[in-house]
Amino acid sequence: MNKLVRYILSFASLYLTVSCNKGWLEEKRDIKLIVPTTLNDMNLLLNADVFQSDGRGATETSCDDYEFTPEQYNALYNAFDRDLVIWKTEEFPKFGILVWDEWDMAYSQIQVCNVVLNGLSKINRTSSNKEQYDKIKGTALYHRAKQFLNLALTFCNYYDDNTAETDLGIPLKLTEDIDEIVDRGSLKNTYERIVSDLKESTILLPSVSTLNTQIAKAGAYGLLARTYLYMDNYKQASSNADSSFKYHTYIENLNKVDLASDYPFNDVSKEIHIYSMQSKYSPNGITGRMSQSLIESYDTNDLRKHVFFKLQSDGKYTFKGSFTGQLFSGTSTGEILLIGAECRARLGDLDGALEKIKLLLQNRFKAGTTISMPAKNNHDVLSSILLERRKELVTRGLRWQDLKRLNRDVKFAQTLIRRIGENIYTLPPNDPRYIMRIPQYIINYNHIAQNSY
């Protein structure tokens, strides 16, 4: 079975890089010879390590949570990272390492999910296999939706009901046919597919999972809540956040965490829904420093400042508080509470919003200290929640998308400024550079539309 997993992942990767060797099309292995045929095969395939990688590394590198001296900037691993930091990225390079090539990594997972879903269509669901069958199908739908969403967040405009039918989406690869070329379609179609896959997965997945590498209902509802939030559908985002919390209520009490530890959550926190790490090149939060304005936003009694960050000899902070051994990018209880709080505030339920945020902060602040709550008006409550979102979800690969959506509101829009030595770089609100360019080798082969600046 390990050979089968390697074959299919290699096959997916080769499919994505075929433009580098067009003759490969005539020499390719027949996919029919290596597809899984049993439920056990499919289950093992969906537990391959590649499903622990989650994309969005380029957008994390680009966001405003980091600052650099010239020496730190030059210490970033490659020119691509340095371009991302100063917002001059013209295209994604080809690294040749699957977990670093965000487009390839996403579609390799999507291809495996499609292989599994096609295989399931040829197996009868019976009373004796229905639990395993449903879990496998729900898992494949979840992972496919997750990668479609990651691609949309990185390579598409922010979702807007008024323009979604004409804005470009991402290629929705829904079959295992490696020769099929799919165009980008509309952003509306992209999000409709993501929502459809996730809705079905919430029905099929088990209520709980005993392994942090396997998804259950809470994680599917959580990702659906994240999706709806990024569609500005606050009612549905709130509802799905509540459903997620119903199945998974564990939240880390930072009073019980070793504040001085470099691994405060013993590698993996029980607060997460599934183990998930960013595809990232240079470690900004270690090579550079965390934004001083971000650090100063934490209250004196906020334990996140000690758990998340490490004071360096230059008086600046690096990041250390990931919920996993790598930079965590999946959903967790904290994010779910923040989605619930924000959506309630936007829908006018200020008491409900404050209740959610208080539950979070009671587990983040030093026990016995006062937690200041904002004045009970819509602007102050929403502003407070958005600040808590930034402080809680730092390094999760979400800040860039939050900037994209908040820039559409004049009350929260901001121009990003990066100072590196004598050089000053700026990124105005709604700048086209917020949308990453699709790798050129993909454009050359598929001839899909490129994002233009």
Side-chain angles (χ1 to χ4, degrees), residues 69-132:
T69 65
E71 294 75 19
Q72 292 162 354
Y73 173 75
N74 290 323
L76 291 168
Y77 290 173
N78 53 58
F80 178 54
D81 282 321
R82 292 188 286 276
D83 286 348
L84 288 170
V85 164
I86 61 175
W87 309 304
K88 62 170 288 189
T89 304
E90 295 184 358
E91 70 172 80
F92 270 59
K94 175 73 177 171
F95 286 98
I97 300 175
L98 188 60
V99 295
W100 284 1
D101 291 317
E102 291 190 34
W103 185 278
D104 294 3
M105 184 273 295
Y107 278 104
S108 70
Q109 292 187 34
I110 290 165
Q111 178 69 9
V112 172
C113 292
N114 288 336
V115 167
V116 168
L117 290 168
N118 181 67
L120 285 173
S121 69
K122 300 173 184 177
I123 297 176
N124 290 328
R125 180 181 181 274
T126 67
S127 58
S128 60
N129 72 10
K130 63 181 181 180
E131 288 187 7
Q132 185 181 24

Side-chain angles (χ1 to χ4, degrees), residues 209-215 268-269 272-276:
S209 174
T210 56
L211 298 175
N212 59 31
T213 55
Q214 296 182 2
I215 195 64
V268 180
S269 167
I272 70 172
H273 294 140
I274 188 172
Y275 188 97
S276 186

Side-chain angles (χ1 to χ4, degrees), residues 113-170:
C113 292
N114 288 336
V115 167
V116 168
L117 290 168
N118 181 67
L120 285 173
S121 69
K122 300 173 184 177
I123 297 176
N124 290 328
R125 180 181 181 274
T126 67
S127 58
S128 60
N129 72 10
K130 63 181 181 180
E131 288 187 7
Q132 185 181 24
Y133 187 103
D134 289 353
K135 179 181 177 182
I136 291 169
K137 186 174 183 180
T139 299
L141 290 168
Y142 168 85
H143 283 296
R144 186 171 73 177
K146 183 173 73 167
Q147 291 310 325
F148 282 154
L149 180 61
N150 286 338
L151 290 163
L153 298 183
T154 303
F155 298 104
C156 297
N157 283 330
Y158 187 81
Y159 186 92
D160 185 332
D161 269 335
N162 297 315
T163 60
E165 289 189 357
T166 55
D167 286 340
L168 288 172
I170 50 99

Side-chain angles (χ1 to χ4, degrees), residues 342-386:
E342 179 179 344
C343 292
R344 282 168 169 78
R346 291 187 181 275
L347 294 171
D349 180 10
L350 300 185
D351 288 330
L354 291 172
E355 180 182 347
K356 292 289 183 183
I357 208 69
K358 187 174 182 180
L359 176 58
L360 173 66
L361 296 183
Q362 284 173 338
N363 288 279
R364 301 310 194 225
F365 271 58
K366 184 178 180 180
T369 60
T370 301
I371 302 173
S372 298
M373 289 287 109
K376 196 182 293 187
N377 63 72
N378 189 272
H379 180 269
D380 286 356
V381 171
L382 182 58
S383 297
S384 177
I385 291 168
L386 292 174

